[in-house]
Amino acid sequence: MAEDEYESLPEHSGPLVHMSAGAAAGMFEHTVMFPFDVVKTRLQRLAPPPGARYKGLRDAFRTMIQQEGTASLFSGIRAVALGAGPAHALYFGTYEQAKLLLGANVGSAHHPFATALSGVSATVAHDAFMNPVEVVKQRLQVHSSPYTGVMHCVRSVLKEEGVSAFYRSYSTQLVMNIPYQCTHLVIYEFLRKTLNPDGTYHPPTHLVAGAGAGAIAAAVTTPFDVAKTLLNTQEQCPGFSAAQAMLLQQQQQQAHVPGRKVTKGIVNAMKTIYTTSGYAGFIKGISARVLFTAPATAISWSVYEFFKHYLSFVEGDAEEMATKTGASSS
């Protein structure tokens, strides 16, 4: 196959290629950038304990390594290792099929509306699978986490808070991720087609377009990410207001006790953030989020496009060989 035939790959490669490439992209992205994700979660805590109060991104890295060791930067990575591959397989598989159905691949022109709708479909599928993984991951990432590992966390949450705890932030996740993914995908497709009008496989284009799209989308949706972190990491605790409840429980570092309050839903989460930290609370961890997302999306798109490019050739060669074998036998 010639290089310029890459432009036609989305039409000929099947869902299995897209899902396999997506799984590889998800694993690479989350594994390589995981330490930044841990630091982002720490920086977004509204009432961190004394040992986890950081002045910024660099101070957080230095303090965590000095006080907790390098392993603290990988707390919760097992949860991501189990979930990132399947979740990204769903994401990219759904995205590519939706683009095909909605006509986003027609011609060389940019189709932002069809791309955005494809992103919505992909996000709903991805988040339905990934939300429980995020809950477990972030509970393991926080300072002085009461959980010893993935299964201990899963069992404890199920026993003490029920299945609904794994989807407490799902609505917030969708509210955050739908505008994030729409912005991210529309900008990526625009940059990709602008930087590489021929549509050939061009790694530098995927790298630059992925980084630019991820950085812009991450910065715009940071307030929703802070709310998601609150909903995922909170512990139920006594008190009349959600903010007071969360503060007291974090200070005591207690597990769930029946009859205690919990912050539910994006509106209550936003109120809690404002009550606890003011407007500044809505941009907590923005530098870590952008620094995490830009290279993460660059890696994700680069790996995805590479594997899609490679696997499509493998699939095409296999079909060609099968055709020749069938013809010779007849």
Side-chain angles (χ1 to χ4, degrees), residues 11-61:
E11 295 180 5
H12 297 294
S13 54
L16 183 59
V17 167
H18 300 142
M19 295 181 74
S20 299
M27 292 298 294
F28 271 89
E29 171 194 342
H30 284 281
T31 302
V32 172
M33 299 305 301
F34 194 81
F36 284 94
D37 189 44
V38 176
V39 171
K40 174 186 72 69
T41 297
R42 295 283 188 98
L43 290 172
Q44 288 179 339
R45 294 288 296 272
L46 300 181
R53 295 173 183 171
Y54 313 112
K55 297 177 182 178
L57 184 64
R58 185 179 301 177
D59 180 54
F61 270 107

Side-chain angles (χ1 to χ4, degrees), residues 35 109 118 120 155 170 188 204 212 224 235 249 289 308 319:
S118 301
V120 172
R155 286 194 299 266
Y170 185 55
Y188 174 77
F224 295 109
E235 293 171 331
Q249 181 61 21
R289 177 167 163 78
K308 186 173 74 171
E319 290 179 354

Side-chain angles (χ1 to χ4, degrees), residues 6-317:
Y6 171 77
E7 188 174 6
S8 65
L9 287 181
E11 295 180 5
H12 297 294
S13 54
L16 183 59
V17 167
H18 300 142
M19 295 181 74
S20 299
M27 292 298 294
F28 271 89
E29 171 194 342
H30 284 281
T31 302
V32 172
M33 299 305 301
F34 194 81
F36 284 94
D37 189 44
V38 176
V39 171
K40 174 186 72 69
T41 297
R42 295 283 188 98
L43 290 172
Q44 288 179 339
R45 294 288 296 272
L46 300 181
R53 295 173 183 171
Y54 313 112
K55 297 177 182 178
L57 184 64
R58 185 179 301 177
D59 180 54
F61 270 107
R62 183 172 57 249
T63 303
M64 288 176 65
I65 292 173
Q66 289 176 350
Q67 296 183 358
E68 304 173 58
T70 306
S72 64
L73 297 174
F74 295 91
S75 300
I77 194 169
R78 290 181 182 178
V80 169
L82 292 172
H88 278 68
L90 276 174
Y91 175 82
F92 282 105
T94 303
Y95 176 61
E96 293 285 5
Q97 292 306 303
K99 279 205 306 177
L100 189 63
L101 291 172
L102 296 171
N105 295 332
V106 176
S108 59
H110 184 39
H111 303 280
F113 185 68
T115 299
L117 285 180
S118 301
V120 172
S121 302
T123 301
V124 171
H126 171 275
D127 288 1
F129 186 91
M130 198 66 180
N131 205 85
V133 176
E134 285 286 315
V135 172
V136 174
K137 179 197 74 174
Q138 292 193 311
R139 291 195 179 209
L140 291 170
Q141 286 177 340
V142 297
H143 185 272
S144 301
S145 173
Y147 309 109
T148 58
V150 172
M151 293 312 299
H152 178 227
C153 181
V154 172
R155 286 194 299 266
S156 298
V157 173
L158 281 174
K159 180 181 177 181
E160 298 165 359
E161 302 174 52
V163 178
S164 62
F166 291 109
Y167 286 93
R168 187 176 292 141
S169 66
Y170 185 55
S171 60
T172 301
Q173 188 95 334
L174 288 179
V175 169
M176 177 188 75
N177 281 348
I178 286 176
Y180 167 80
Q181 293 296 350
C182 288
T183 304
H184 165 216
L185 293 169
V186 168
I187 293 176
Y188 174 77
E189 296 290 356
F190 171 77
L191 290 175
R192 181 179 67 82
K193 291 184 178 182
T194 301
L195 296 173
N196 186 27
D198 294 335
T200 55
Y201 175 59
H202 190 243
T205 294
H206 305 309
L207 197 70
V208 173
I216 294 171
V220 170
T221 57
T222 293
F224 295 109
D225 193 49
V226 178
K228 182 201 75 173
T229 298
L230 167 60
L231 291 170
N232 280 347
T233 62
Q234 66 176 314
E235 293 171 331
Q236 298 184 1
C237 41
F240 293 100
S241 72
Q244 290 171 336
M246 182 196 61
L247 285 169
L248 181 57
Q249 181 61 21
Q250 288 177 338
Q251 289 168 357
Q252 294 177 338
Q253 296 180 0
Q254 295 177 338
H256 168 71
V257 176
R260 293 183 172 185
K261 290 189 176 182
V262 63
T263 304
K264 296 181 179 180
I266 186 170
V267 175
N268 285 333
M270 292 293 187
K271 288 179 179 177
T272 300
I273 293 167
Y274 179 74
T275 302
T276 307
S277 304
Y279 290 113
F282 293 107
I283 57 171
K284 278 180 174 287
I286 188 171
S287 58
R289 177 167 163 78
V290 172
L291 287 174
F292 164 77
T293 306
T297 48
I299 292 170
S300 181
W301 279 112
S302 297
V303 173
Y304 174 70
E305 296 287 0
F306 166 77
F307 275 99
K308 186 173 74 171
H309 182 61
Y310 173 75
L311 292 174
S312 295
F313 289 164
V314 172
E315 184 182 60
D317 291 343

